[in-house]
Amino acid sequence: MSSEMSLSEKLNEDIVRQDAFETIRDLHEKVSMEDTPKTYIKKKMGMDYVEISYMKSVADRYYPGWSWTIISTEMLGSEAFMVHGRLKWFEGGIWREGDMTAAHRIMKLRDKEGFVDVGNDIKSANTDAMKKAFNMYMNIADDVYRNRAEDTSLSQDDIDYIYEEMEGLNDEWKEKISLSIENGDIEKNDIAKVINKINQIKES
């Protein structure tokens, strides 16, 4: 009887674990697909970045109870300051954590004999580490940091377009291309090549 109970408990644990993984996956996909408001997207040195206030607000909304702890700091000579931090958050019934490091250049006076504001440089290193952690572990602002998974499958409009271009082909070629579409062998990036191939067949 006890062995049957053990098996039952294990099955329940597996089900709970699977449910947690599905919850985590769905949440990260939802956060990743959320567009960052343009008011929070800034530019520096030609690169887009997101204000930390926005990333914190998204973390509060989707991962309430998160925390950030500085594990260690280090001066990299007199050129930069590095922060090693740890992000901890709760999701899908599981406490998770991930580490991140970031270094920020120390701004020097023009005469190179002093520093502009070391305190601000230290704060910036910590902020950079937090932002990297928010993006890497929580998928916040994936659209800005180019980490969003792109859907390369054909839309219905894409499929209709290919079928329109297939008019005039013999049944054998129509069947081949239709089967490739149904099997998912043709993606968005393949459309131009497929249309080009269709035109070549028509001209032959």
Side-chain angles (χ1 to χ4, degrees):
M1 187 71 176
S2 60
S3 61
E4 291 179 1
M5 287 296 292
S6 295
L7 179 59
S8 176
E9 288 172 359
K10 185 179 185 306
L11 288 173
N12 285 335
E13 286 181 3
D14 290 342
I15 292 172
V16 170
R17 187 179 297 111
Q18 185 62 35
D19 287 344
F21 289 155
E22 289 180 2
T23 298
I24 290 171
R25 183 194 62 216
D26 292 346
L27 176 60
H28 281 260
E29 183 176 343
K30 180 179 181 179
V31 176
S32 178
M33 296 308 294
E34 184 170 305
D35 292 333
T36 304
K38 286 185 168 52
T39 56
Y40 294 106
I41 303 174
K42 308 296 180 182
K43 264 192 189 299
K44 186 176 184 180
M45 305 289 287
M47 301 289 289
D48 290 338
Y49 72 94
V50 181
E51 292 185 347
I52 189 66
S53 59
Y54 169 74
M55 302 186 86
K56 284 182 176 179
S57 70
V58 176
D60 287 339
R61 189 170 2 126
Y62 290 110
Y63 308 93
W66 67 270
S67 65
W68 175 256
T69 303
I70 295 177
I71 304 302
S72 64
T73 61
E74 181 182 354
M75 286 290 294
L76 304 178
S78 61
E79 298 300 318
F81 186 86
M82 186 180 76
V83 169
H84 169 197
R86 178 168 297 152
L87 182 63
K88 186 175 182 180
W89 68 102
F90 188 77
E91 60 174 331
I94 301 172
W95 275 106
R96 307 181 67 193
E97 61 181 37
D99 287 17
M100 186 58 64
T101 60
H104 190 82
R105 186 176 180 180
I106 296 175
M107 299 299 293
K108 296 181 179 180
L109 297 172
R110 289 186 178 181
D111 59 11
K112 307 295 183 182
E113 295 298 323
F115 304 109
V116 176
D117 188 343
V118 176
N120 189 61
D121 296 328
I122 293 172
K123 178 183 176 184
S124 295
N126 184 55
T127 298
D128 290 347
M130 286 182 69
K131 288 164 68 174
K132 288 169 67 177
F134 280 142
N135 178 242
M136 176 173 285
Y137 297 119
M138 296 180 173
N139 296 97
I140 299 173
D142 267 355
D143 56 331
V144 176
Y145 294 109
R146 309 293 190 269
N147 290 326
R148 180 182 287 174
E150 294 185 14
D151 183 8
T152 60
S153 59
L154 297 178
S155 66
Q156 188 57 51
D157 287 342
D158 296 329
I159 295 173
D160 292 343
Y161 171 53
I162 294 174
Y163 274 110
E164 286 175 8
E165 293 297 315
M166 284 167 54
E167 288 299 321
L169 294 180
N170 60 41
D171 291 340
E172 183 182 355
W173 273 109
K174 284 182 179 180
E175 185 177 348
K176 283 182 179 179
I177 296 172
S178 297
L179 188 60
S180 294
I181 292 174
E182 290 173 9
N183 292 338
D185 297 329
I186 299 175
E187 298 183 338
K188 284 185 180 292
N189 295 335
D190 302 319
I191 293 177
K193 290 187 293 184
V194 172
I195 299 303
N196 186 49
K197 180 65 176 177
I198 290 172
N199 290 332
Q200 288 179 359
I201 296 169
K202 288 180 178 178
E203 293 169 1
S204 63

